Each structure stands twice: as structure tokens, then as C-alpha cells.
Amino acid sequence: MILSQRLNRRFEEVRSRGEAALIGYIMTGEPQLERTLEYIRAMEAGGIDVLELGVPFTDPVADGPILQAAHARALRQSATVHTALQTVRELRKGSELPVLLMTYYNPVFKLGEESFARRCSEAGVDGVIIPDLPIEEAASWVNQARKYGLARIFFVTPETDTERVKKICEYASGFLYLVSRYGTTGMNETVAPTAIPLIERVRPLLPEDLRLAVGFGFSTRAQIETVVRAKVDGVIVGSALAARIAAGASPEALADYVRELKAGTRL
Amino acid sequence: MVAKAPIKQSPTKLSELPQEGHWGEFGGQFVPEILLPALKELGRAYREISVRFDFQSELKALRADYGGRPTPLYFAKRLTEYAGGARIFLKREDLVHGGAHSLNNALGQALLARAMGKRRVIAETGAGQHGVATAMACAVLGLSAEIYMGARDIERQRMNVQRMKLLGATVHPVTSGSQTLKDAISEALRDWVTNVPTTYYLIGSVVGPHPYPMIVRDFQRVIGDEIKGQLLRREQRLPDLLVACVGGGSNALGTFFPFVNDEKVQFLGAEATGAASLSHGSVGVLHGAKTFVLQDEHGAIRETHSVAAGLDYPAVGPEHALYKKLGRGEYVPVSDAEALEGFRLLARLEGILPALEAAHAVYAGVQRAKRMKRDALVVITLSGRGDKDLETVLDYDTQPTSEQAL
């Protein structure tokens, strides 16, 4: 199995332009099942460099109220991991946008790690983020992800000490997902005081082939500029996009918002 | 085989479990990365602090003088006559201060929180008993308590909500999902993710990520340890069958665990039919642990229903999952109507109003005792008292059941 290099290539392209990557999130089935692709294309047109596609779960413990509501809406429309994979297959017909699936572990476990990894790979998924799968529980998943060429995105938080960061780097590929602050997903007005010290602490520990992306709380261009100045390779925006979709934003309006955020990654 | 007090604790081969947080394939730490350092710190603190003499003696004194332990082991003569089979004993956890076994765990963990220097304690509650016990333990130890409780449970367990407030706790209603225990745990985890440096999460059952299932089991094993001592003194023998209700499974595991290597002692867990993770579920991951879970084909967690809020949970402690898999424990579903029958039986025959949770165990235990020999011994753990459920029971009696409606 040849490793999918879409994600790494995209990070290189972005870096060669002197930018950081904008990683944008949408929940499968938002705003309606048949319109998700339209919104993904709008986000791509607006300038996201990587897509994070959510798989709904009944008990999303790492998510704040905005994404909890997105999970609930998606479940009401019967969106599943299969819906997400179908969305990626459709997207792949005309796009090389790197796609990361963001899913809680139980849907992966229920399908079987290998079956899930194979289906992801066949659909054109580039990597997987599992917010309730710490490295302690990830050995078999890492093997499957390796086998099927999927990036293994793990989290590093303000609570993660140096020794543990190094250990996480051994499990991870693609990028490390820095959690900028304490708490669940959600929007903040400013960059949390924990963010910059975390970035500065982790950067020297990174192996050469691993990038650094930061998320949790980002919703403005100014916030993105602040962390890009601190030299991150990517910034992840989730709740802010989900909130706009939930409020009825058109694809064009969402693309405009993404354009504004993307401008913050160019310094 | 005449054994006299003092009673030695049984050698517990299985007590060496969990290995690295796993009971066989079950258990684990499936939680967001931000909680892993806190779980490791908790495991370390528990190993170091809980074995210290001052910790043990303070816990023992609080359990005795504040909590009312040891609780009686009562021979239920009229219930035994009714069943016409095995002799039935009741372990009276309903007589623990607060009205349920919950205080055993809450006191232990609140002492641990204080020793770790955490002044803010959060907890989830279903029936409200764990919330009340946590509020009591925090009051007596000078800690602040915030309790997450599903809005639906707040509605049906109003008295316990008032008790928590009077005991100085803050109660946060949870309006997400099914608005029951499952969602209260999710919300407590979200609070912990946000406040992990200052906050101790005092989980109420043998569920959640390692080391919680082990810690809660260890603080609840006092139930089974006492049963063993009391029965050996009184009957000079071990029981043939232990019966307890299972939601998350803490009173059941506390009852069973000290007998785990006494192979002739059988375990019977009574689940609510509408929330029977072990009887009807499949292996999955919820709230940090791999265990039996009620879920659909895509891994979405199913909503549950039980007349007993404390059993209304779609998963179960991982150690029960292992007992089930190994055949060490047997788990049976008990319907709402059957639990109500257990409630009425105990009220009229023994003058005890059990909690609706415990009424499931009463029903299952009586059914089983009927088929056992007269010299057999059955112990049913009464996890709590029924005052909190009076409204529910009275409402249930005035509504036609589905069978009656036909």
C-alpha cells in the first residue's frame, strides 16, 4: 500500500508560499445531508488547505455546546461513518483537498479498526483524528493506519509534559494537534494564554517530518495571525464554522468567512 | 469448615487486575488526551495515599461514626417463607447515612481529593444518591461540591435535588442527549477537561476510565467484606448466591468482589430490562472504558429506559463485563413491573421500602431463591432505601400498565 502523500504535499505547498495551513471543520450531514458537499466546496474555494470532516456520535465528550448540537443534528438525519465516507468519495471526483476524518472511537471500534482504515483509504481519506483515543489505547489503531497509509493525528495539551510529548510524536504522523487551552471545543475572542507557551515548548521536540497545528477556540483572523507568528504550520477552526452553518450561512457567506480566516495565515 | 472471627480477607487472584488498566479486553482509558496526566496522577495518589495508616483510620472512623457502618445483615424470615426455598438475607446498605451504599465510595474519594489538595469536587448523579453522598462527604470534609444531573432525572428525583442543595452542593441540570445519567457523566467529563488542574472528579460507579473502576470497587468492597464476616460468624459458612442490582454496577461489585475467588459463591446481577447492557448489549467504548454497551450497528449509543434512574445507563463497569465473559457472574434483566413487584413484596413482608434500583435485586433474588434448596443461603444487597421513589411508585400504581391497558 502506497502512503497517501496528499496531506504532506499540501503542508509543503503551503509552507513554500510562506503561509500556514488553514484546517476547516464541517460535520457530515451539515447543514443537510445533500448539501454537505456544496459547503465543503465553498470552504475549499474560500481557501481551506485541509478539511476535517466530522462523524457524528451520541456522546461527544470533548466537544462544547456548538459541536454537540452539530452531532445531534447529524444523528437526527441518520448520518453515520458511511455517510462521511460517501461524502469523501464524491469530493474526490474533482478535488485533491486533503481530508481528515474526526470521529470518536466507538464508531471505529464497532466497524472494526481494520475495516474502518481500509474503507477510509479506499474512499480517499488522508488521515484520522480520534479525540478519545490516547496513545495508551492506540497501538493497534496505529498499525492499521500505517498499513492503509492514513495520517495518525494525536493531541498535545497544556497538561502534556515533555516526556509524554516525545512519546506521542512516536505514534503520530502528519501533524500534532495542539489543544490551545483547557476545555472542550468552542469559540473564544482571543488566543488563550496557554497557547503560545505550548507552541514554544513543543516545537523543539518535533521530529522533522511532523508538523504542528493548533486548534480549540479559534474564530478570528487576529487570533490566527497571533499563532502563525509563533510559527505553527496550521490552524484548525471548527466551532466557528459550525456556528455559522447552524445560523443558516449560505455557501458564499461561509466562503467569505474562510477567506478572511485564510488571510490570517499569510504573514 | 468452621471459621471464626477475626476473618481474613479472601486471597484475591483477580485483585491483581486490572493490568495496566484493563480487565481482560475490557476497561482502559478512552478519554481526551488532556485527562491522561490527571488519570495517571490519580492512580499514583491512590496507590500511595489510600494505603497510609492515617487515611485508612480516618476512613474507617468516618464510615463507622458518620456513615453507620457496619450495616446489618438481616435474615428476612417472611420473605424466605414467601419464596419457600433458600434462606434469604438482606445486606442493609439502605441504612447507610444518606440512604444508600453511595457514601462508602464518596467518603473514600473525597478523602483522597482532600489529600491530593483538590478543593473542588465534581460528580454526576442518576437517582441522586451519589450526588447526595458526594454533597455529604464534601460538607463533612470542607470541600465544595458541584453535581451534574440529567434534567429528566431532576424531574423524577426531586427530593434528592433538594437534599443536595440543602447540603451545600450546586446542582447543574444537563439538558443534552437523553437527559439522564449517561449525559450527566458526559457533562462531568467536560467540566473536568476544562478544570482539571483544580478539580477532582468523584465518579459514582465502577465505570469510566482506569483507575476509577478499581478505586470505586475498592471503596465499595466493604459491603462484601462485611457480608463474609457476618455470615461466617452467624452461619459458619459462605453464601451460595449473592444478588445485587447493576446499573454501572458499584454496589454489585462491592458485594461480589471479596468472593471472587470463592468459586462456589455464585453472583447474580439484576439489570433493568430497558437498560440491560450485559444481557442485551455488545462490546463498545463509552465514557473511557471498553465494556458492554447498548448501541446500534453504527456505534451510536442507544437511549435507555428504567423506572429506576440509578440503573438507567447504557453501559456497565468493565469488571462486570469480564465476570460476564468468564461466566463468573450471571446477569439477568428485570422489568419495571417486576421491580415494582419486588418493591411491594419487601414493603409488605418485611416492612422495608427499598430503592427502586434495589427492588430489581429483590425480585431477581426471590425468583432464584424459590428454585433453591431450603438449606441454601442467598444474600441480596439492598443498595438503598425507597423514600426517594415514593412519587414514582404511587404514579406507577395509578397508571394502567401496558398489560392492563390491553
Side-chain angles (χ1 to χ4, degrees):
Chain A
M1 178 79 43
I2 296 160
L3 280 174
S4 158
Q5 287 298 318
R6 249 185 315 250
L7 181 66
N8 289 337
R9 274 206 310 270
R10 180 57 57 97
F11 270 108
E12 277 163 29
E13 287 161 20
V14 169
R15 183 182 283 181
S16 69
R17 293 199 301 264
E19 302 170 6
L22 179 66
I23 304 168
Y25 174 95
I26 189 169
M27 170 60 77
T28 301
E30 288 271 77
Q32 292 109 35
L33 284 178
E34 61 281 7
R35 295 195 72 191
T36 308
L37 207 56
E38 186 186 348
Y39 276 76
I40 292 172
R41 287 182 178 131
M43 286 160 70
E44 188 177 12
I48 61 164
D49 301 295
V50 177
L51 177 74
E52 210 183 282
L53 182 62
V55 175
F57 185 53
T58 37
D59 299 84
V61 296
D63 286 306
I66 295 169
L67 291 189
Q68 283 176 49
H71 281 275
R73 283 192 301 272
L75 287 170
R76 277 199 295 277
Q77 299 185 77
S78 304
T80 67
V81 63
H82 303 292
T83 322
L85 292 171
Q86 184 56 31
T87 303
V88 179
R89 277 192 286 271
E90 292 290 323
L91 178 71
R92 279 285 166 263
K93 289 177 183 167
S95 168
E96 288 298 300
L97 181 67
V99 178
L100 308 170
L101 279 202
M102 171 89 150
T103 175
Y104 283 83
Y105 183 62
N106 199 47
V108 177
F109 177 78
K110 188 70 185 164
L111 198 55
E113 287 179 348
E114 167 147 31
S115 173
F116 172 76
R118 180 170 42 79
R119 286 161 197 245
C120 281
S121 173
E122 285 167 3
V125 170
D126 302 286
V128 179
I129 309 173
I130 310 178
D132 57 348
L133 191 73
I135 55 171
E136 280 76 0
E137 306 294 346
S140 61
W141 164 247
V142 164
N143 285 335
Q144 295 304 334
R146 270 209 188 100
K147 183 172 163 195
Y148 288 97
L150 299 165
R152 311 174 295 273
I153 313 299
F154 285 92
F155 294 83
V156 163
T157 80
E159 287 280 293
T160 318
D161 65 21
T162 299
E163 196 186 329
R164 190 170 167 83
V165 173
K166 287 181 187 161
K167 210 166 159 196
I168 292 172
C169 288
E170 291 169 18
Y171 284 74
S173 69
F175 63 87
L176 275 191
Y177 190 137
L178 292 192
V179 177
S180 75
R181 56 160 170 71
Y182 290 89
T184 51
T185 57
M187 291 154 65
N188 299 94
E189 310 247 299
T190 57
V191 174
T194 41
I196 305 295
L198 180 64
I199 294 165
E200 288 172 351
R201 185 162 65 83
V202 172
R203 179 160 281 297
L205 305 173
L206 275 191
E208 233 172 65
D209 56 349
L210 207 55
R211 274 89 174 182
L212 209 56
V214 61
F216 279 49
F218 290 89
S219 64
T220 70
R221 176 179 173 168
Q223 283 174 305
I224 290 173
E225 286 172 349
T226 306
V227 290
V228 170
R229 254 183 242 116
K231 301 203 188 315
V232 292
D233 305 299
V235 182
I236 303 150
V237 179
S239 297
L241 290 162
R244 278 168 174 77
I245 293 172
S250 66
E252 296 73 30
L254 201 68
D256 285 342
Y257 176 56
V258 168
R259 222 165 267 125
E260 184 197 328
L261 297 174
K262 180 60 198 172
T265 69
R266 302 185 184 108
L267 285 181
Chain B
M1 48 164 279
V2 177
K4 292 280 180 194
I7 304 307
K8 271 205 227 152
Q9 286 182 352
S10 61
T12 43
K13 281 174 279 177
L14 275 173
S15 71
E16 284 156 31
L17 293 165
Q19 302 208 336
E20 301 188 14
H22 293 80
W23 286 265
E25 71 191 273
F26 305 109
Q29 297 184 309
F30 296 86
V31 290
E33 167 62 29
I34 199 161
L35 295 180
L36 263 295
L39 290 171
K40 287 182 199 300
E41 184 199 345
L42 176 62
R44 205 161 41 234
Y46 175 70
R47 276 194 305 277
E48 287 166 11
I49 296 168
S50 69
V51 296
R52 289 207 308 241
F53 178 76
D54 56 344
F55 181 93
Q56 282 296 333
S57 55
E58 189 171 5
L59 179 59
K60 202 174 165 199
L62 277 169
R63 276 181 173 169
D65 305 336
Y66 180 74
R69 299 210 75 90
T71 57
L73 185 71
Y74 165 70
F75 173 57
K77 184 159 175 283
R78 298 195 68 218
L79 195 64
T80 297
E81 286 166 6
Y82 168 86
R87 297 166 69 206
I88 301 172
F89 288 80
L90 302 176
K91 181 58 175 168
R92 298 293 308 276
E93 292 301 298
D94 57 316
L95 296 177
V96 176
H97 178 47
H101 73 293
S102 315
L103 192 70
N104 304 334
N105 167 51
L107 278 177
Q109 285 201 64
L111 276 172
L112 189 60
R114 197 187 63 181
M116 291 172 72
K118 311 247 177 186
R119 314 297 297 187
R120 179 176 182 265
V121 170
I122 56 169
E124 83 294 336
T125 196
Q129 288 302 134
H130 175 60
V132 167
T134 300
M136 286 173 166
C138 287
V140 76
L141 294 175
L143 306 169
S144 85
E146 295 185 37
I147 313 293
Y148 289 91
M149 187 168 185
R152 193 169 137 225
D153 289 340
I154 286 181
E155 188 55 41
R156 56 179 166 166
Q157 302 282 333
R158 263 175 295 181
M159 190 183 81
N160 273 342
V161 176
Q162 296 307 328
R163 291 167 81 199
M164 285 183 257
K165 289 180 180 169
L166 290 168
L167 291 160
T170 307
V171 180
H172 299 293
V174 177
T175 54
S176 55
S178 57
Q179 311 191 2
T180 58
L181 180 55
K182 163 176 89 81
D183 310 285
I185 295 179
S186 293
E187 207 54 36
L189 283 169
R190 292 185 187 111
D191 180 310
W192 205 29
V193 160
T194 309
N195 300 299
V196 66
T198 60
T199 298
Y200 185 95
Y201 178 21
L202 205 164
I203 205 162
S205 191
V206 288
V207 301
H210 178 71
Y212 281 113
M214 175 183 75
I215 291 176
V216 178
R217 175 198 73 196
D218 290 354
F219 286 136
Q220 289 294 358
R221 68 170 290 166
V222 66
I223 303 172
D225 284 333
E226 284 180 9
I227 291 172
K228 189 177 266 191
Q230 288 164 324
L231 214 51
L232 283 173
R233 275 192 294 276
R234 189 184 163 127
E235 303 289 331
Q236 290 79 48
R237 55 166 293 196
L238 295 177
D240 297 289
L241 178 70
L242 296 167
V243 189
C245 63
V246 178
S250 73
N251 90 86
L253 198 54
T255 301
F256 299 165
F257 181 69
F259 296 88
V260 77
N261 294 318
D262 299 315
E263 282 159 25
K264 287 185 177 155
V265 180
Q266 296 184 310
F267 303 161
L268 180 64
E271 298 189 285
T273 298
S277 330
L278 288 162
S279 305
H280 302 147
S282 55
V283 180
V285 172
L286 181 66
H287 294 146
K290 191 178 287 179
T291 181
F292 282 87
V293 172
L294 293 164
Q295 57 185 330
D296 72 9
E297 66 201 287
H298 304 296
I301 307 303
R302 285 192 193 282
E303 297 209 349
T304 53
H305 163 80
S306 171
V307 70
L311 304 184
D312 210 347
Y313 182 61
V316 66
E319 193 160 344
H320 285 296
L322 183 63
Y323 288 6
K324 154 112 182 167
K325 195 183 170 199
L326 296 177
R328 182 65 190 91
E330 184 189 353
Y331 298 87
V332 293
V334 172
S335 71
D336 285 358
E338 290 167 339
L340 265 293
E341 190 183 324
F343 180 96
R344 289 190 201 101
L345 267 180
L346 203 65
R348 288 170 197 172
L349 292 175
E350 298 290 350
I352 298 170
L353 299 176
L356 282 173
E357 290 77 15
H360 289 71
V362 172
Y363 180 84
V366 167
Q367 291 306 309
R368 192 57 58 95
K370 284 179 180 175
R371 311 205 305 258
M372 294 169 73
K373 292 192 181 127
R374 282 170 192 273
D375 59 354
L377 288 184
V378 172
V379 178
I380 301 172
T381 296
L382 282 191
S383 57
R385 69 177 187 225
D387 308 51
K388 68 182 179 64
D389 295 316
L390 296 188
E391 270 185 67
T392 308
V393 172
L394 294 172
D395 283 354
Y396 196 94
D397 282 346
T398 57
Q399 284 168 4
T401 62
S402 48
E403 298 104 78
Q404 286 166 335
L406 292 169

